[in-house]
Amino acid sequence: MLPMTEVDPRVTRTRNDVLNTTISVLIDEGWDAVTQPHIARVAGYSKATVYAHWPDRVGLLRDAFARYGDMPHHEPTGELRTDLIGELTSFRSAMIDHRLDRAMVVLAERASAVPEIVDIRDAFTRDGERPVRKILAAVADGAELEAAVRMLCGMVVHSVFMHGAAPSDAVITAAVDLTLQGLQRG
Amino acid sequence: MLPMTEVDPRVTRTRNDVLNTTISVLIDEGWDAVTQPHIARVAGYSKATVYAHWPDRVGLLRDAFARYGDMPHHEPTGELRTDLIGELTSFRSAMIDHRLDRAMVVLAERASAVPEIVDIRDAFTRDGERPVRKILAAVADGAELEAAVRMLCGMVVHSVFMHGAAPSDAVITAAVDLTLQGLQRG
């Protein structure tokens, strides 16, 4: 792919329109509705345009989920507790405001059944965990770092997937405090 | 429902056969394949039998997921660390050996789209979390208890749903130790 600066802005706009539409259709109509002809119709572009950018459907889904990597994150302050609470709160907002919860559970379900979706899920998870992992890597490593990352991200994911509601401020704060106390940083 | 002792054992056997088949069909063929006629055919019973027990499809799904409540759990020893590691390891085994991972992610996905499935998911989550919650309730309460339960169960759920693999022994142990140290019980 060319560096961003060399891409015609109209092309960038078209791509972003189509990728935003892809996520909306996925959320509203489900996985099977994400086909190039249907996305083209909903986004208001020709089928030829969509097929030119994404000859295969999996590539379209991959790029659509990759856009979540650009979502707003908490601006780090260097203070562990503040940054973890801020980042988990941003993650919770993304779930609610951008309906990331629904997109994620559809992605998880599809990846558990369709091998070609596994790479999309793994990239999404890696990008999503990166800020929390970076904050915690200052004070933990190995299995302890892995456990702390999965407990904190997992607390949010589990709440949304299995309880059907994002965690409260009190539960986010308690989770961060337990983790930092556990790491002897509380 | 009648107490277990008053139910004809043939009826119990039929119910269990049909419910086991329901979960297998759900895992192998997906949510839409769970219909009374299809389940009857796969389980080797008449449609009339299946409809007599479960006039509606949601009831069939509810009873099928409720059977996971009977799954083997770790036998408590009274030692916090041992019991938490044992229970999370049992949960991991259930995910792998009984393909609970696939059934859970399908349930989570459907509950995020279909309101009448929410109660099934909530009952499933409540039953699944109960042993961990009971162990931790001896040493925590309020938001701290809620955070600890969701972090430990969430660590396993997140690993399976978003990483596509159950957590290692080292990560389970580190998660339990972090939690207990956080609760000043490590």
Side-chain angles (χ1 to χ4, degrees), chain A residues 102 105 108-109 112 121 125 129 143 147 150-151 154-155 157-159 161-164 171 174-175 178 181-184, chain B residues 102 105 109 112 121 125 129 143 147 150-151 154 157-159 161-164 171 174-175 178-179 181-184:
Chain A
R102 174 79 189 133
V105 75
E109 191 281 323
S112 81
R121 179 202 61 206
T125 301
E129 287 182 351
R150 292 185 188 206
M151 284 162 65
M155 180 271 297
V157 167
H158 179 68
S159 294
F161 281 20
M162 301 308 300
H163 288 258
V171 169
L178 274 179
Q181 285 160 27
L183 292 167
Q184 320 289 345
Chain B
R102 174 81 188 132
V105 77
E109 191 280 324
S112 80
R121 179 203 61 205
T125 301
E129 287 183 351
R150 292 186 188 205
M151 287 191 329
V157 167
H158 179 68
S159 295
F161 280 22
M162 300 309 299
H163 288 258
V171 169
L178 275 178
T179 303
Q181 285 161 28
L183 293 166
Q184 318 292 343

Side-chain angles (χ1 to χ4, degrees), chain A residues 158 162, chain B residues 23 62 64-69 71 91 95 100-101 103-105 107-108 117-130 157 161:
Chain A
H158 179 68
M162 301 308 300
Chain B
I23 294 290
R62 183 187 309 112
F65 275 104
R67 273 180 66 77
Y68 277 120
M71 298 247 304
F91 182 25
M95 287 220 170
L100 181 57
D101 54 345
M104 273 179 75
V105 77
L107 179 62
I117 306 303
V118 166
D119 287 346
I120 301 179
R121 179 203 61 205
D122 289 349
F124 177 87
T125 301
R126 201 164 49 240
D127 288 348
E129 287 183 351
R130 186 172 292 121
V157 167
F161 280 22

Side-chain angles (χ1 to χ4, degrees), chain A residues 110-185:
Chain A
R110 286 293 79 201
S112 81
V114 184
E116 64 190 329
I117 306 304
V118 166
D119 287 346
I120 302 178
R121 179 202 61 206
D122 289 350
F124 177 88
T125 301
R126 202 165 47 241
D127 289 348
E129 287 182 351
R130 187 172 292 122
V132 167
R133 190 177 293 276
K134 194 175 161 191
I135 297 167
L136 287 169
V139 291
D141 62 8
E144 199 170 56
L145 172 61
E146 200 56 46
V149 170
R150 292 185 188 206
M151 284 162 65
L152 288 177
C153 296
M155 180 271 297
V156 180
V157 167
H158 179 68
S159 294
V160 172
F161 281 20
M162 301 308 300
H163 288 258
S168 66
D169 287 346
V171 169
I172 288 181
T173 301
V176 168
D177 285 339
L178 274 179
T179 302
L180 292 179
Q181 285 160 27
L183 292 167
Q184 320 289 345
R185 297 287 178 151

